[in-house]
Structure formats: structure tokens, C-alpha cells
Amino acid sequence: MFKSTMPEKGRIVHLQFDGEAITAFDGDNLAAALLRSGKVKFRTAAKNDPRGPYCMMGVCFECLVKIDGRPNQQACQITVHDGMIVQRQNAPDSAGKVSG
Amino acid sequence: MANQHFQIAIIGAGPAGMAAALTTTKAGLETIVIDDQKGSGGQVYRNLLANQEASPAYLGKSYYDGTELAQSFANCGAVYQPDCTVWQITNTHEIALVSRGKAELITADYIIIATGAIERPMPVKGWTLPGVMSVGGAQTLLKQAALGADDAVFVGSGPLLYLTAWQYIKAGLAVRAVIDITGGKQWRSAIPYAPLALLQPDMLVMGREWLGDIRRNTEVITKVSAIEIIGQSQAQGVSCTLSSGDKIDIDANHIFLHQGVVPNVNLTMATGLAHQWDHQAHCWRPVIDVTGKSSDEQIYIAGDGGGIGGAKAAAIAGRLAASAIVARCGKPRFLAQLYYKLRHLHYLSIRPFLDRLYLPSADFRLAQTDETIICRCEAVSKAGVNAALASGASGPNQLKAFCRAGMGRCQGRGCGLVVQEMIASHTGQSMAETGYYRLRPPVKPITLAALASLEGPWPD
Amino acid sequence: MARLTGMAATRPVVIIGAGIQGCATAFFLSQRGQSVIVLEKDHVGRHASGVNAGGVRRLGRDIAEIPLSVASMDWWNQIDQLLDIDRGFHRQFYVKVALDDAGADLAFRRIQQLHSAGFQHETWIDRDQLLCRIPHLTKSVFGGVLVEGDGWALPWKITRAFHDKAAALGAQFRTPVTVTSIDKSGEHWQVTTDAGMIETDIVVNCAGAWGTQIAEMTGDVLPIDAYAPMLVITDRQPMFLQSVVGVMGGTLSFKQLDNGSMVIGGGKRGVADAARNLTQIIPAGLSSFVMTAGRVFPHLRDVAILRAWAGIEGYTKDNLPIIGNGSQAGIIHGFGFSAHGFQLGPAVGEALADLAMARQTRVNLTPFSPHRFAVSPDQAAGH
Ligand SMILES: Cc1cc2nc3c(=O)[nH]c(=O)nc-3n(C[C@H](O)[C@H](O)[C@H](O)COP(=O)(O)OP(=O)(O)OC[C@H]3O[C@@H](n4cnc5c(N)ncnc54)[C@H](O)[C@@H]3O)c2cc1C
Ligand SMILES: Cc1cc2nc3c(=O)[nH]c(=O)nc-3n(C[C@H](O)[C@H](O)[C@H](O)COP(=O)(O)OP(=O)(O)OC[C@H]3O[C@@H](n4cnc5c(N)ncnc54)[C@H](O)[C@@H]3O)c2cc1C
Ligand code: FES
């Protein structure tokens, strides 16, 4: 599990991940905040294939989540804000229905 | 910024882009620097200015070497547009941007593309499982969020892997193991170029220090012939087969993969610039002259995006391209240009050695098992690509239509080189003949509303 | 040309171009036992036929083109059996929606015009019915013109399937092979390529945007313009659309594929460089038809576009294709489909096969006659 390598500081920010309350620090990037809270699974690709952040630089698109209702947000490229509602993003299956 | 024209547009605020901006602004040229990250620094100096205050020592000297450059850039007077992605450059040198859901077009007399490198894909079985990240990703977490994971396993080869494992150790994190896939064959092909590398003694000394500290603090496994990641819904360990045939299983929830970096060619290719296959570094690179000028007279390419050279070479390449443009704007800089050319050559002197030593073997460039995912976005396995080849796909673009590999959001960044090499080994053609995906704008996905914002607000 | 009407020629018919027209022609000829050689400078379906929007519509066609389009629809409705494929044609309905008074006005005039020409397939659908069938449409829609049974297909899949079936029936496809000249030699034609020369009695020009050059090699002056209409594809979304949607008085084409992705086009053109096989996307053009899509489906605001592309297509002056015999015996032209030739493919393949075998065609091809553009070579040289 990821942990801080420096003394934690900064204003605490509250968010939700699939309904669960999570705290982060002001200025944190969302992927980092979720990883710090032990969340590694961010979405599913087709066939329920679980995925999580891979590159952290915005090129792999594995970290996609729904933020405040908007799908396909790259968690590694987004800064947290208070009250952010984050959801795992599940890929439509081959029939186009959203699974899970 | 709507419909603005600039003398110079620089894309990317890593060492190459920042250094280029110092030269163009000093010459009084109106410059805009566009970068898709929140802060300057690029990959190598990510978050450097923000890290000044706490200055964690574990990031090492090579990181803080960028401080002066980043600070000068902050004060150089260029228009700096962070959090902004360039999604297309047209042949009339219109630059299409998108920032926070809004698109814009700007134009420039000269464009410097300094979009850096990405990591070479490392398709091993299970590499899509949550918990598996690239080493670059792990390092970015450390630089940007001061986050690290205890008991992680590093797998692969190359300077970035050793540096990051070293930074982990210095940060007080327990590293479970480093599995080094560098083979004896690579050593044998690299050794003849070692004398040239001696021109950069500080780099070699630094490398030795990293490797020494790593060996003292963690288990280093070498002579590896195969790697597999174990786990169902999340990574649980690595299974590693040695050339002796022995198998080692290591439990780990965090596994970091890396086998070198390659130029990020998505923007340069989508812009229609000429590219060539680089045999030594086994990657595509844009065709550029010594100053970085591409096949388009108005477009220069600086830094790792033009060919991997590392942070210092990138900064000099930025200076070189910028001074060539300044010269074309009527302010010749003969001495400066000569100096930058020599410095650039100097920094590149270690590449022939490094490129050969850390070019992964075909075993690791190509996937080892049929079920290994090649295209992560569309979840196409090695077997899927092979099936497409068997039914007659004869090139990367045809293969897309056959099996969808390369059709996803990452636009081939994660599979292009692997697919290309699978096709080449199937058809017997060279990598250059096989070619790469035809890349199309937008270089990164853009929402309908953002695209339509060039016309006006989205209808409700 | 000593050849009996309707009989197979002894030398293989040479077809230039492996787009849908070339592949469909090869298929119909092979099915009738006529040997064929198809020459393609790139690969099968590399150009317009592999990358188009896949709209299979009778809706909105020029009146002169309707009989051909209707004939083609017969083939589309049996395309799976014809080509041994699965779900080749997604038979739905195609509607051009009217977003304002002007659009509705256009719609009424169009329907009236068709009725007086004797065609009943386009009908008006009012707002409520339309919203019932496409609930996500903008609530400010007025209604639309609709054709039941139009739909879409995957262009590459269909073109490839015509190729596969033709090849299975014995057609020879030679790629990449570029035709460089065509010369009369006694009673027959010599087709010279970068990979040797082929003698034949019949040459079928299915060279798409490059058709003018091939025509010229046979002495026919048939100018067309090469343009590059643009398309975008989005990421996958939950299914919400089982029809193809356009707008009255505008140029939108909008469909959702069965994997959830949407393909959106709209007449806007990029830059075409046919000589070098290159196209360029013009961002402002994309923006314009994406905005039109937004007026029709405002709920798609946050959907991402993954790729934009353009395909090179040949356009004639009157936007009708060139289909028919050239000025010299043994030369047959079928090109210049002006961005709506995909749906016509099967019927055009059949018609070109008929011409190649000197049979009566099912549809009257007079409106498409190459001779409607007739200029003598001297005239052409004059300007
Ligand atoms: C993840 C990673 C970590 C690395 N870490 C190190 C390290 O610690 N030490 C080291 O010596 N080398 C490191 N490297 C190697 C690195 O490539 C070079 O050392 C150096 O960063 C190259 O500098 P540059 O200016 O060419 O590109 P970069 O530093 O990569 O800068 C390019 C910038 O352009 C931006 N960009 C890219 N595309 C677009 C676009 N379309 N629109 C807008 N902006 C765009 C990028 O986000 C980035 O900020 C790393 C490479 C990677 C991929
Ligand atoms: C973006 C776009 C969207 C479209 N949308 C639709 C739609 O929704 N519905 C619809 O009905 N139509 C649509 N069309 C039109 C349709 O795609 C074309 O009309 C049709 O594909 C034309 O087929 P073709 O075989 O004539 O041409 P092509 O597919 O262009 O084939 C011609 C072939 O000839 C080859 N060739 C040329 N010169 C030579 C030579 N000297 N030697 C050997 N080979 C040669 C070329 O390489 C090419 O492969 C669209 C077109 C485009 C570009
Ligand atoms: S982790 Fe790769 S894009 Fe976010």
C-alpha cells in the first residue's frame, strides 16, 4: 500500500469514492489520493477486466474515473477538490450496456 | 488568448521547452509555452519548484540540478499555459489547444515541439492488473505526491529503473526485489561503446552509486528469461523464470515495470512530419537536422521527443533549436550555436552505450504468452494480434481494422511498437518497412463540447 | 472485339481499384464464372471504401440516383447470405430531422417532389412520434423525413467481405500494384503496372478519386475533384440510438455502432492530397459538425472523440457518379461517387459486371453516362 514519504501536511480535503469517504490533501492529484487510501482498482475495461493507474503522466488512460457524474476523467491529471464525488468507471460490455 | 498569434510556440515545458523559452524570450521574441501538466518541469523535473521548500533529499542531486532552469523559466516572460493540451498542428501551423474543456486555435511563425518521451511498453502477462505500474509512474508519485509503496518489486532495466529504486531506498522504503532483465548479450554489444561513455564520467559515477546502493539494500535478481505477474483482480506477485530454468515466485502488491523510454511521437507523427526508424534505440524518431529542424521548415523538435538523450541533452537541444530560430529571425548566434552543438554531442556520447546495454531483448519487447494483453485499451491479446496476422493483416493500419489493436484512447502509445514488431517478425519485413500506425488528431481525446467550443457554447 | 454478348471473355477482365466498387464488380463477375484480376495500388479498402461513414441510405438521394440506390438495397437486405458474413447490414431507419421552420419547409418540399416523381419511400414523421422512437433527441425538434429500412454497415468489413468472397470464387487480387498506363494493342488492351503488363479485352476503372487519371490513360477526359470529407469516432457509450440521424438543410451523419461508439460526420472537408495518399484534418470543420451533433443530441456534451480522420473521394460536377462505357470499346468507368457511393456499391458492382459481359443492366445507367461530361481531348488541352 502506498504511504507518504514526507510528513503529511496541507489542508484536508474530503471526497467520496464509490460512496466511501476518503481524505486527501489540498493540491493532491486524484490518482495519488486514491492510491494513498489503498484504492488501486479505478475502473473495468471490457469483460470486467480490472484496471488502475499505470503511467501517472496522462498517456495510458488506465486511471479513468467518473468525477461528479462526468465519465472518462483521467484521475492522474486532476486535482482533488472538497466534496468531489468519484466513482469507478465500468466499461460498457459488447452489447453497449454498462456492466457492474 | 483567443485567436492569438505568437512568434514562437513551444509545446512542452520540460527541460527542452523551458530552455528554449529562455533563449527566445532573451532575444525578444514573443513566446508561448504550452504544457499539459499543472506545473513546469516535464517528466524529469516534475513538481520541482513545489518541492523546493521541503526538498526531500531522496530525490537526489540529478533532480535538483533542474532548479535553476525551472526558476529562470518562471521569470523569463514567456506566456506560459499549463494544463493545456495541444491536440493538433495543421499544415498551415494552426495549433489547436484544449484547456479545461475549452478549445482554441493559435498560430505561430515557428513551433518547437518538446513533448519528451514515454516509456517503452513492457507487455508481460498480468501487466494490466491494478497494482502494476510503470516505474515512471511510481517515480512521478514520489516526486509529485511524496508517495511510495513498501515491498514493491521493480522489474526491467534502464537508468530510470535504477534511479527510481535508488530513490525508493533513500526515501526509507523497503524494496522487495529488483529483477534486472539486462542480458549478457546486451553487455557484449554495449562494451565497445564504453570508452565513448567515459566522456560523461559523472553519469557513470552516478549510475554506479545507484547500483551499489540497490545491491546493498535489496535482492537483485539477474539472468531472467521470463516474467509473469500473478493475481486475479489485483497484482499479488511476480513469477520469474531464470535462464537456468529455475523459477522464483515473489509476493508483492506493487510491481513496477520499465524497459527504457522512447520518443513520444504522437504529436509529431499526427502533424505529418517525416520520421525514421532508429535501429540503435529501436524506436521511431522524427527526422531532424542538428538544430532540431524537422521536415517542416517552421517546426523544430527539441529534447527526448527528437531522440532520447536525457535531461541535460534535452535542455541543450532546446537552446540549440531556439538559437537556430533566433538566427532565422535575423539575430545570428554563431558562437552560441557552436557551443550548444558541441555540448549536445557531449551529452549524447553516452547514448550508444546505454541504448545497447538497455535495449530489452525481443523476449521482453514482444509478449511471451498468448494470453498476454498487447493493446491495453481494447484488451487485445497476443493471440488476438496473431489471429489478425493469420487472416491476412499485413500492416499496422490494416491490423487495426482486423482486431482493433491501437484503436483505443491511448492511440497506440501502449502497443504500437509491440504490434509493429509482431507484424515485422510475421512478414519478415524490416521495422522501417512495416511502419507505424497512421496517427490522427486529436492527439489526446477531446470532448464533443470542447471541440464544439471553437464555434460556441454547447447547446442545452 | 470478337465476343458474344453475355458470354465470359477468355482473357481475365482487369479491374483497377479494390474499393467497394472494384471488389463488388469482381464478386459479381467471379460469381458468373468470368475470370478477373483486380489491381490495387495500396491495399483492399485502404481509401474511401474502408474509412467512410458506413451510411446505407436511400434517404436524400438525387432523384436520378434513386433507382440504383433502391436496387442496391435489395442486395443489402441479403448481404449476409450473399457474402457469408454475420450482421453485415444494420437495418434500422434513417431520419433527417428538422430543427426549425426552414428545415420543416425543406422536408415538405422534398417529400412532395419525390411523390410527384413517383417515389414513396421518404415520409414525414412528426415530433412526438420521433421523440418516441429516439428519446434522446433534442426536445426542440420539429419532426423529420424518414426512410424505414435504411441503416448502416461497417465499411471496411463489407469491402473486405466482397474481396474475400470474390477471391474465394477465383478472382485474383494483386496488391500493391499501381497501373501506370493503358494502351490499345490491336484488338485488346495492355495494362501496364509497376509489376508487369497484363493483356485484356476489358478494363474496368474503379479507381475512385484517381479515376480521372485512369480514364485519361484510355483517352477519356473525365475530370473530377478529389476532396477529403472528415469523420470523428467517439468512445463507447451506453446504447441509445438504433437509427441513423441527419439534419434537414444541414450535413450531419450520426450513428451509434453496436459497440457503443458513435461515428459523426457532416460534409466538412479536410485537405486531400490524392497524389501522395495524404489527408489533413481541419479543426474548425470538425467543430462545425460536432456542434450540429450537439444541437441534435445535447446530452452528449462530455463524450470524448478518440480520433478524427478523412478519406479521399472523387466528386463530379453534378455529384452523380460516372458509370458506363468509355469512348473506346472495352473500357468501362465506375468512379466519382461524390461521397455517397458506399450504399450504391452492390448495385454498381452488378451493373459494371453486366457492362463487362455486355449484358443489359438492371437499372438504366443513362444519368451516369460518362459522355455527359464529354469534351474532346483537344478541348481539354485548350484549357
Ligand atoms: C515518466 C518519466 C520519468 C522520467 N524521469 C527521469 C528522471 O528522473 N531523470 C532523468 O534523467 N530522466 C527521466 N526521464 C527521461 C526524460 O524523458 C528526460 O530526462 C527529460 O524529461 C526529457 O526532457 P524533455 O524536455 O525532452 O521532455 P519532458 O520532460 O518529457 O517534457 C515534455 C512535456 O511536454 C508535455 N506534453 C507532451 N505532449 C503534450 C501535448 N500534446 N500538449 C501539451 N503538452 C504536452 C508533457 O506533459 C511534458 O510536461 C523520465 C521519463 C519519463 C517518461
Ligand atoms: C469520409 C467519407 C464518408 C463517407 N460516407 C458515406 C456514407 O455514409 N454512405 C455512402 O454511401 N458513401 C459514403 N462515402 C462515399 C463512399 O465511401 C465512396 O463513394 C465509395 O467508397 C467509393 O468507392 P470506390 O471503390 O469508387 O473508391 P475507393 O474506395 O477510393 O477505391 C478506389 C481504389 O482505386 C485504387 N487506385 C487508384 N488508382 C490506382 C492505380 N493507378 N492503380 C491501382 N489502383 C488504383 C485506390 O488505391 C483505391 O483503393 C463516404 C466517403 C468518405 C471519404
Ligand atoms: S495513469 Fe496513465 S493516464 Fe492516468
Side-chain angles (χ1 to χ4, degrees), chain B residues 218-279:
Chain B
T218 184
E219 184 185 4
V220 178
I221 299 169
T222 56
K223 302 202 172 71
V224 181
S225 65
I227 294 288
E228 210 170 276
I229 289 156
I230 305 161
Q232 285 303 317
S233 65
Q234 162 169 353
Q236 276 159 350
V238 197
S239 170
C240 138
T241 310
L242 303 180
S243 10
S244 62
D246 291 348
K247 235 174 147 171
I248 304 179
D249 286 348
I250 305 173
D251 290 342
N253 292 121
H254 294 285
I255 295 150
F256 303 137
L257 304 177
H258 180 79
Q259 48 183 356
V261 294
V262 296
N264 178 0
V265 292
N266 280 60
L267 182 59
T268 51
M269 279 195 176
T271 302
L273 304 177
H275 285 68
Q276 69 192 51
W277 178 254
D278 179 335
H279 294 277

Side-chain angles (χ1 to χ4, degrees), chain A residues 3-98:
Chain A
K3 66 175 195 193
S4 295
T5 53
M6 291 289 284
E8 293 179 350
K9 64 180 174 60
R11 190 175 66 88
I12 301 269
V13 170
H14 298 274
L15 34 146
Q16 261 190 28
F17 183 62
D18 273 356
E20 187 184 332
I22 278 177
T23 56
F25 298 102
D26 201 17
D28 253 355
N29 116 346
L30 175 59
L34 293 176
L35 289 170
R36 192 191 287 114
S37 307
K39 310 293 174 202
V40 289
K41 186 179 152 188
F42 282 36
R43 67 180 190 108
T44 59
K47 297 174 206 149
N48 259 322
D49 189 6
R51 300 289 173 91
Y54 185 77
C55 74
M56 290 302 296
M57 60 181 277
V59 297
C60 75
F61 298 89
E62 292 288 22
C63 62
L64 300 181
V65 289
K66 249 190 208 167
I67 300 178
D68 300 330
R70 291 193 170 194
N72 298 321
Q73 306 296 308
Q74 282 177 289
C76 76
Q77 300 293 300
I78 283 170
T79 308
V80 294
H81 63 76
D82 236 329
M84 195 181 229
I85 310 274
V86 186
Q87 285 167 288
R88 282 205 176 90
Q89 178 167 317
N90 297 319
D93 62 22
S94 55
K97 289 190 209 81
V98 179

Side-chain angles (χ1 to χ4, degrees), chain B residues 11 89 100 152 204 243 318 376 379 407:
Chain B
I11 304 162
I89 302 172
R100 293 173 199 174
L204 295 175
S243 10
R376 300 174 65 111
M407 299 276 260

Side-chain angles (χ1 to χ4, degrees), chain C residues 181-261:
Chain C
S181 67
I182 302 170
D183 304 286
K184 190 98 200 194
S185 152
E187 280 292 284
H188 47 259
W189 291 96
Q190 293 185 334
V191 179
T192 308
T193 74
D194 55 359
M197 192 266 286
I198 302 168
E199 293 211 328
T200 183
D201 298 318
I202 313 274
V203 176
V204 188
N205 170 10
C206 292
W210 300 264
T212 298
Q213 283 94 294
I214 299 294
E216 215 168 273
M217 294 176 195
T218 70
D220 286 335
V221 182
L222 296 171
I224 56 169
D225 296 309
Y227 297 124
M230 302 187 289
L231 294 172
V232 300
I233 186 157
T234 73
D235 64 353
R236 291 168 199 190
Q237 295 296 314
M239 284 316 280
F240 73 95
L241 187 64
Q242 300 283 349
S243 59
V244 189
V245 179
V247 287
M248 256 354 261
T251 48
L252 179 72
S253 110
F254 190 112
K255 65 185 65 69
Q256 186 172 29
L257 307 182
D258 51 356
N259 69 7
S261 293

Side-chain angles (χ1 to χ4, degrees), chain B residues 154-212:
Chain B
F154 287 76
V155 187
S157 70
L160 184 59
L161 183 141
Y162 308 124
L163 167 59
T164 308
W166 179 86
Q167 289 170 326
Y168 252 56
I169 290 164
K170 292 287 154 185
L173 296 160
V175 173
R176 181 79 179 74
V178 171
I179 301 176
D180 191 333
I181 62 165
T182 317
K185 212 172 121 209
Q186 279 97 315
W187 273 107
R188 284 190 293 281
S189 69
I191 284 298
Y193 299 88
L196 200 57
L198 288 174
L199 286 172
Q200 291 225 72
D202 46 335
M203 291 286 280
L204 295 175
V205 169
M206 204 157 62
R208 264 187 60 138
E209 184 196 341
W210 299 340
L211 289 170

Side-chain angles (χ1 to χ4, degrees), chain B residues 88 91 378 398 401-402 404 407 409 411 438 440-441 445-449 451-452 454-458 460, chain C residues 43 46 156 160 235-236 279-281 283 287-288 290-291 294-295 298 300-309:
Chain B
Q88 186 185 2
N91 54 1
E378 296 289 321
Q398 267 188 296
F402 273 94
R404 298 195 59 79
M407 299 276 260
R409 283 179 168 260
Q411 306 203 331
R438 221 170 10 255
R440 303 288 195 195
I446 171 175
T447 64
L448 293 175
L451 182 51
L454 286 176
E455 291 253 309
W458 187 254
D460 286 312
Chain C
H43 58 76
R46 159 72 172 82
W156 191 83
R160 185 81 201 172
D235 64 353
R236 291 168 199 190
T279 59
Q280 261 250 346
I281 298 298
S287 182
S288 143
V290 164
M291 181 64 97
R295 289 171 63 208
L300 297 175
R301 161 197 298 272
D302 296 322
V303 170
I305 290 165
L306 301 191
R307 264 186 321 283
W309 71 92

Side-chain angles (χ1 to χ4, degrees), chain C residues 345-370:
Chain C
V348 170
E350 184 190 21
L352 291 173
D354 287 336
L355 292 177
M357 298 183 81
R359 290 189 186 172
Q360 180 68 42
T361 58
R362 199 145 67 97
V363 176
N364 173 12
L365 297 177
T366 315
F368 316 118
S369 163

Side-chain angles (χ1 to χ4, degrees), chain A residues 57, chain B residues 11-17 34-37 41-44 84-86 114-119 136-137 139-140 143 160 163 167 261 264 267 302-305 310-311 314 443-444:
Chain A
M57 60 181 277
Chain B
I11 304 162
I34 303 146
D35 188 281
D36 58 8
Q37 297 300 316
Q43 306 311 340
V44 52
C84 180
T85 302
V86 171
T115 48
I118 58 174
E119 292 175 86
Q139 195 207 35
T140 300
K143 292 193 259 202
L160 184 59
L163 167 59
Q167 289 170 326
V261 294
N264 178 0
L267 182 59
D304 274 7
V443 165
K444 285 189 183 172

